[in-house]
Amino acid sequence: MVSDVTNNPTSQYYKTASDLELRNFYAAKASINTKFSIPTIPPTIPKVYEGSVARFGKDTAELAVSHFQGVIQSFFVGLIGAKRILEIGTFTGTSAIYFASALKRNGVKGNPDDNGNKPVICLDISEEFAEIARDNFKEAGVEDYIDIIVGDAHESLASLEGQQFDVIFIDADKISYTAYFDAAIEKRLLAKGGLFIIDNTALRPAIQLIDCPAPLPKDKMPEEGMCDDFGAYHYFGRPIHEFNEYIRQDKRCEVVMLPIFTGVTLIRMLENN
């Protein structure tokens, strides 16, 4: 998680931070409206992060979206007037809390609709993460907005056929990104005018493959000096690069990748293709 923009930076931070870090910090601070009745940054978010650090360690806790990414994603929810959101990969609930708060600002009410569905549906394979997330949702006051389905996301996506979502956020196992995207399209889960938000699309193991064709041959190994960690190449670099190239060449998609954080890709489906 980036520096806590809910507090002012220390003088030491000013001295040691790069221009890019300071620019990001300044942009995040400039994006917080202190007059909102529903705060830009949900008040319990710092505690969610602290709880994740205490339970899983700092490295794992940083699986959560940063303050600024949460703010940006909330803005897109407001921009398109979203009413329902599907999240694939929930961890301890940070991004879902941001989404639920953004829906509140859109005037969306909590509780299940006539079909028994809440505004935000989260998919995660871990019951442990889901249990923590549910507690965090209650503390944030958004439990009426969010349901978590625990299990294999491929199966969970199939079970959602017939529902539609204005935003689909994918932030789960990278090897399955293409399959998740295709399943969402096949099951018509994205509503007309909806938006895919895909996280971690410019992780370092992926950007090192910038000149490589996709899909890569199955026996393709990273060239010497390109990616020294085969695990990172196999689980992150290769599948993300192949996903990025897949959607870039899909005539149904208008795609823009934001070079922020570890890469955030926005996908809009074109009706005439």
Side-chain angles (χ1 to χ4, degrees):
M1 180 176 285
V2 296
S3 299
D4 183 359
V5 295
T6 59
N7 295 310
N8 290 321
T10 63
S11 58
Q12 183 63 26
Y13 181 80
Y14 281 119
K15 292 176 182 178
T16 59
S18 67
D19 285 350
L20 178 59
E21 288 172 325
L22 288 172
R23 189 175 298 115
N24 288 343
F25 192 97
Y26 184 84
K29 291 284 282 189
S31 303
I32 298 172
N33 189 326
T34 60
K35 305 299 183 183
F36 280 165
S37 58
I38 301 170
T40 306
I41 296 179
T44 62
I45 288 294
K47 187 175 179 180
V48 172
Y49 177 65
E50 291 164 7
S52 298
V53 171
R55 186 152 183 171
F56 302 110
K58 189 172 186 295
D59 287 347
T60 300
E62 291 189 353
L63 291 173
V65 300
S66 68
H67 289 310
F68 194 22
Q69 185 171 345
V71 170
I72 291 171
Q73 291 178 180
S74 295
F75 180 84
F76 285 121
V77 169
L79 185 67
I80 68 171
K83 293 180 172 59
R84 296 205 70 213
I85 297 170
L86 172 63
E87 176 177 271
I88 307 173
T90 296
F91 188 39
T92 55
T94 295
S95 51
I97 293 171
Y98 270 105
F99 282 138
S101 298
L103 290 179
K104 281 187 177 184
R105 283 196 292 274
N106 279 3
V108 176
K109 303 299 183 184
N111 294 315
D113 60 17
D114 293 340
N115 297 313
N117 302 311
K118 291 183 180 180
V120 181
I121 302 296
C122 298
L123 310 183
D124 206 285
I125 198 167
S126 169
E127 180 58 52
E128 180 183 14
F129 289 165
E131 182 180 344
I132 296 168
R134 291 186 189 104
D135 288 341
N136 289 334
F137 298 156
K138 288 178 182 177
E139 186 154 0
V142 294
E143 70 271 23
D144 292 342
Y145 281 79
I146 308 170
D147 264 335
I148 303 181
I149 300 174
V150 178
D152 183 282
H154 302 280
E155 297 175 3
S156 299
L157 284 168
S159 74
L160 294 173
E161 188 169 8
Q163 298 191 47
Q164 286 202 313
F165 303 89
D166 304 296
V167 172
I168 298 178
F169 177 52
I170 303 178
D171 184 16
D173 58 306
K174 313 313 172 193
I175 286 178
S176 298
Y177 268 25
T178 301
Y180 294 152
F181 174 77
D182 280 345
I185 298 300
E186 178 187 344
K187 302 299 182 184
R188 300 182 181 275
L189 298 181
L190 188 71
K192 181 179 179 180
L195 181 70
F196 281 99
I197 304 176
I198 319 293
D199 201 15
N200 305 132
T201 48
L203 287 170
R204 183 169 180 79
I207 63 177
Q208 291 174 320
L209 301 173
I210 188 170
D211 291 327
C212 296
L216 294 162
K218 292 191 180 298
D219 60 352
K220 170 73 175 177
M221 296 289 288
E223 297 178 12
E224 185 176 353
M226 178 178 289
C227 185
D228 297 329
D229 184 338
F230 180 75
Y233 166 78
H234 178 72
Y235 291 106
F236 299 100
R238 177 177 180 152
I240 290 174
H241 177 63
E242 290 182 343
F243 172 73
N244 289 337
E245 287 299 296
Y246 179 71
I247 58 173
R248 186 171 73 89
Q249 302 295 344
D250 190 331
K251 67 179 183 180
R252 301 170 299 174
C253 304
E254 183 175 10
V255 178
V256 60
M257 182 189 292
L258 306 178
I260 54 178
F261 317 116
T262 53
V264 178
T265 294
L266 308 175
I267 306 171
R268 183 174 75 96
M269 305 307 294
L270 303 177
E271 295 178 30
N272 298 326
N273 290 314

